[in-house]
Amino acid sequence: NVAEREVYVSDWGNQRISVFDLNGIPLRTIGRRGHGDCEFANPCGLFFDPTSALLLVADSKNDRIQFIRPAGEGTLVRQFGVRGSAKGQLSFPVAVAMHPVTRHVFVCDHDNHRVQVFSEEGFYLYQFDAAGGALPDQPFYPHRLCIDSVAEEIFVAEDNRVSVFSTKGEFLRSFGEGDAFLRRFKSQRGVALNPLTGHVIVADRDN
């Protein structure tokens, strides 16, 4: 949150969001264990939307996305998601991001092996997975994602590769599954795009 000069961290094991200043000084926490408003069951991916000044939280074991105003102890603005495998339902959502122009919300629906796309209000729009990609027979476990709103591409970090889709869900390419050691990923848990250089940054956990 540049305007408030705050950093938000999902504190998975403590069932809360921890808030720090830009120097890493703890300021406060948001939420606690539970199933109510601003309560969490293993909060995972976070996305701060500067337009609405809302924090989007992938509340993984509650199978929902919460939109929270992060001032003070946090206030729930809205939420969507119920457990299931039908369109619009979620099973262990682990990451969320919003397109700054279309305002579409992209969710890594981990245990359903897909990325689902919703409107800003939480209405289901469409979904996509790795079918038809370079490795269509391998399981699709989306862990994290980021959006390149200039190229209209979505980078999805899976277990051992990063798959790239158009924002409409068309598979474009993948990388990280090659034979060369420096190109091989193992259980990456984060992906981000540097908007100035265009470089893709991957958290390659088990390497």
Side-chain angles (χ1 to χ4, degrees):
N1 185 340
V2 176
E4 299 296 330
R5 300 178 62 81
E6 292 181 340
V7 177
Y8 306 108
V9 177
S10 59
D11 192 354
W12 166 282
N14 285 319
Q15 316 298 335
R16 65 190 183 190
I17 308 300
S18 295
V19 185
F20 300 84
D21 68 16
L22 298 185
N23 294 314
I25 304 299
L27 299 176
R28 63 186 185 281
T29 61
I30 298 171
R32 60 183 181 180
R33 182 189 301 272
H35 310 289
D37 296 354
C38 288
E39 295 181 340
F40 308 111
N42 296 124
C44 203
L46 304 177
F47 180 85
F48 180 77
D49 173 38
T51 300
S52 64
L54 296 181
L55 184 66
L56 282 64
V57 182
D59 189 7
S60 62
K61 289 188 177 180
N62 279 326
D63 302 300
R64 64 184 178 180
I65 304 298
Q66 295 196 61
F67 290 66
I68 293 173
R69 196 170 307 284
E73 295 182 353
T75 304
L76 179 73
V77 175
R78 61 182 175 275
Q79 62 181 322
F80 66 82
V82 294
R83 183 170 181 80
S85 58
K87 293 179 179 179
Q89 297 180 338
L90 300 171
S91 182
F92 201 69
V94 292
V96 61
M98 179 184 284
H99 193 293
V101 179
T102 66
R103 311 295 292 166
H104 290 172
V105 178
F106 293 75
V107 179
C108 285
D109 189 11
H110 184 273
D111 286 2
N112 283 325
H113 312 288
R114 64 190 178 186
V115 173
Q116 293 202 72
V117 187
F118 300 83
S119 70
E120 186 175 5
E121 294 76 25
F123 295 106
Y124 172 84
L125 299 175
Y126 58 95
Q127 65 185 41
F128 58 90
D129 55 30
L135 299 168
D137 296 328
Q138 292 191 14
F140 183 59
Y141 286 101
H143 291 292
R144 299 290 186 273
L145 58 79
C146 67
I147 301 172
D148 182 349
S149 60
V150 176
E152 291 296 319
E153 293 181 344
I154 308 294
F155 292 80
V156 180
E158 302 179 58
D159 276 337
N160 298 306
R161 67 180 183 264
V162 172
S163 293
V164 187
F165 300 83
S166 74
T167 53
K168 298 297 184 182
E170 303 159 328
F171 178 84
L172 301 175
R173 62 190 181 277
S174 64
F175 58 91
E177 69 275 15
D179 293 330
F181 175 75
L182 292 178
R183 291 180 53 217
R184 189 183 306 144
F185 294 144
K186 189 175 182 182
S187 299
Q188 59 269 32
R189 288 298 184 269
V191 61
L193 182 72
N194 184 326
L196 299 179
T197 66
H199 292 164
V200 180
I201 303 162
V202 179
D204 191 12
R205 188 187 68 177
D206 288 352
N207 278 326

